[in-house]
Amino acid sequence: MKVLVVGGGGREHALVWKLKQSPRVEEIFCAPGNAGIASLARCVPIGAEDISGLVAFARQEKIDLTVVGPEGPLTMGIVDSFSEAGLAIFGPTACAAAIEGSKVLAKELMAKYGIPTARFAAFSDAGEAAAYIRKLNAPCVVKADGLAAGKGVVVCQTVEEALEAVEDIMVKGVFGAAGSRVVVEEYLTGQEVSILAFTDGETVIPMLPAQDHKQVYDGDRGPNTGGMGAYAPAPVCTPEVYQTALEKILIPAVRAMAAEGRPYRGVLYAGLMVTGEGPRVLEFNARFGDPEAQPVLMLLETDLVEIIEAVLSGRLGEKEIRWRPGAAVCVVLASGGYPGPYRKGYHISGLDRVPPDVVVFHAGTALEDGRVVTAGGRVLGVTAAAETIAAAIEKAYAAVEQIHFEGMHYRRDIGRKALSAI
């Protein structure tokens, strides 16, 4: 079987790494890939959002299965285009991926079908949003409606911060067209957890619960990023929370999408806040999370190709998905200045000193004169598995100590909440 993975980040490296373990897979291509992926797959210089180019390549190479990593091509309709060309592809259609592409659509869906989430209001006028914020008071959360690379959510502790967020998003346009509308919602307290699930549109099978670390600095301080690290399984997601999330959130969301004429197949990601009243939805995503995919896929025992084929054939209900015991931790190494402006092209040293049982997933890297250099904000995801969360944390950070590039920064508290919960 020939497989194409679309994307070039840490999530896509993890997908390539996992797919390559399948005895069914003979060759993997990745578009566009990165320096780490190049050691496992043939990277092709086609952008993830060049849908016509990807369709042409898949036809030319007679690709048997395409797996899409990022949200951009999904919301643009890559699954629709591949399906029309008679090519097998894993992911939701454009109308289904809108559950991530529009926060307003997702919130209105939850309100209509009684899926637990924060109280909210949506606005296309900055003045009306500002008036609502003054009435709601703070703390509150301001979200750009469209895709903003995981950075379009501003948690505001004061009314002034919220008004500034509206000004930045709607007037100054810091997120471009994604900020033409905003959602303003109540602030929820608790711990966050990400539950990703496979679904064929009927059956919903959740993966291990993971916890992402969005803020750039230790102690959940600083601006939101695309994610500075993650671990799985997350103890805050007790068996009761897990079951509630499945019965009250994931299954109802898939059924709601079908009822709305948006049948959903692929991976549905529920970002949840575990509150005193139970889990509440913060956001839905239409694909594997990044960096949650790294520790979750490291613990997946079942052949990923077999799961994907069960989803595509509508037979997921016949599939048992098995997980390795223990825990896995991913620590993201980022460029200096991230999530703000940063420089690229710094040489990365020490990758050859990382122990073989730790996997360094490349997120933003490139090859330059035979050397691996930085090429993104999030550069590497150092991922380790062990029998306990404490051992996995220790193993991951020991590997981090071996790696260096100019300006490198990372959080030193990935997984700490899990230790306090045990």
Side-chain angles (χ1 to χ4, degrees):
M1 166 181 280
K2 291 168 103 174
V3 176
L4 169 64
V5 174
V6 176
R11 164 186 48 222
E12 289 74 40
H13 192 172
L15 285 166
V16 168
W17 175 81
K18 188 62 191 174
L19 290 164
K20 196 170 179 67
Q21 295 169 17
S22 172
R24 305 272 307 285
V25 174
E26 296 169 16
E27 188 173 15
I28 302 182
F29 299 85
C30 191
N34 60 39
I37 292 172
S39 66
L40 299 173
R42 192 173 123 201
C43 295
V44 292
I46 304 173
E49 297 185 359
D50 180 1
I51 294 174
S52 60
L54 292 166
V55 168
F57 175 81
R59 276 177 162 158
Q60 173 192 319
E61 288 291 337
K62 296 183 171 56
I63 298 295
D64 298 295
L65 172 65
T66 297
V67 179
V68 186
E71 61 274 19
L74 290 170
T75 58
M76 292 168 63
I78 188 172
V79 171
D80 308 73
S81 295
F82 268 65
S83 299
E84 286 164 12
L87 296 162
I89 184 166
F90 178 69
T93 60
C95 72
I99 198 169
E100 175 171 8
S102 171
K103 290 185 176 65
V104 173
L105 181 146
K107 293 292 286 191
E108 289 176 346
L109 182 92
M110 288 184 270
K112 181 177 178 179
Y113 290 91
I115 296 169
T117 189
R119 288 182 295 115
F120 75 99
F123 302 94
S124 54
D125 179 86
E128 291 177 7
Y132 179 79
I133 286 166
R134 292 188 180 96
K135 180 180 169 185
L136 178 67
N137 218 327
C140 63
V141 182
V142 179
K143 298 179 176 180
D145 175 50
L147 299 178
K151 301 168 195 169
V153 176
V154 185
V155 178
C156 309
Q157 297 299 329
T158 65
V159 168
E160 289 70 27
E161 284 179 19
L163 296 175
E164 185 180 336
V166 169
E167 175 80 9
D168 287 343
I169 294 170
M170 302 192 78
V171 180
K172 295 180 181 176
V174 294
F175 299 121
S180 60
R181 293 191 296 176
V182 297
V183 170
V184 180
E185 63 181 40
E186 68 172 324
Y187 176 80
L188 297 177
T189 58
Q191 276 199 55
E192 290 188 37
V193 67
S194 306
I195 303 182
L196 288 66
F198 295 107
T199 180
D200 59 5
E202 293 284 340
T203 300
V204 180
I205 300 182
M207 304 181 212
L208 293 178
Q211 188 172 73
D212 186 14
H213 298 64
K214 284 287 187 191
Q215 284 78 24
V216 68
Y217 302 125
D218 286 10
D220 296 334
R221 293 179 300 107
N224 268 359
T225 69
M228 292 298 292
Y231 66 92
V236 67
C237 187
T238 62
E240 293 77 19
V241 169
Y242 191 75
Q243 196 62 29
T244 299
L246 175 61
E247 294 175 0
K248 304 290 187 184
I249 294 169
L250 289 163
I251 291 174
V254 170
R255 288 179 178 162
M257 291 293 279
E260 293 292 308
R262 300 173 182 269
Y264 196 101
R265 292 195 310 177
V267 170
L268 181 62
Y269 168 129
L272 309 175
M273 182 71 79
V274 181
T275 73
E277 291 75 46
R280 299 286 183 270
V281 179
L282 297 173
E283 64 178 353
F284 282 117
N285 292 331
R287 34 71 194 184
F288 279 100
D290 188 351
E292 294 99 330
Q294 288 85 309
V296 169
L297 288 173
M298 182 167 273
L299 295 171
L300 177 62
E301 193 172 83
T302 304
D303 187 326
L304 181 57
V305 172
E306 291 182 8
I307 299 171
I308 289 172
E309 288 185 332
V311 168
L312 297 182
S313 64
R315 298 170 58 192
L316 185 61
E318 301 171 16
K319 192 75 195 162
E320 180 194 359
I321 297 180
R322 298 178 306 280
W323 300 93
R324 302 181 196 284
V329 174
C330 172
V331 179
V332 169
L333 309 185
S335 292
Y338 177 79
Y342 55 86
R343 295 179 63 183
K344 304 177 184 179
Y346 293 118
H347 171 58
I348 303 170
S349 64
L351 293 172
D352 56 341
R353 295 195 295 271
V354 173
D357 61 343
V358 176
V359 183
V360 180
F361 293 116
H362 290 227
T365 65
L367 285 171
E368 197 174 272
D369 300 324
R371 301 196 311 169
V372 179
V373 299
T374 64
R378 292 186 295 173
V379 178
L380 302 168
V382 181
T383 309
E387 290 183 5
T388 65
I389 186 71
I393 292 169
E394 184 178 350
K395 186 188 285 191
Y397 277 105
V400 165
E401 292 297 321
Q402 305 301 315
I403 301 169
H404 176 76
F405 55 85
E406 189 168 332
M408 180 177 101
H409 74 97
Y410 57 93
R411 284 185 56 160
R412 290 167 169 79
D413 63 348
I414 304 300
R416 190 174 295 169
K417 289 177 186 172
L419 298 181
S420 61
I422 295 171

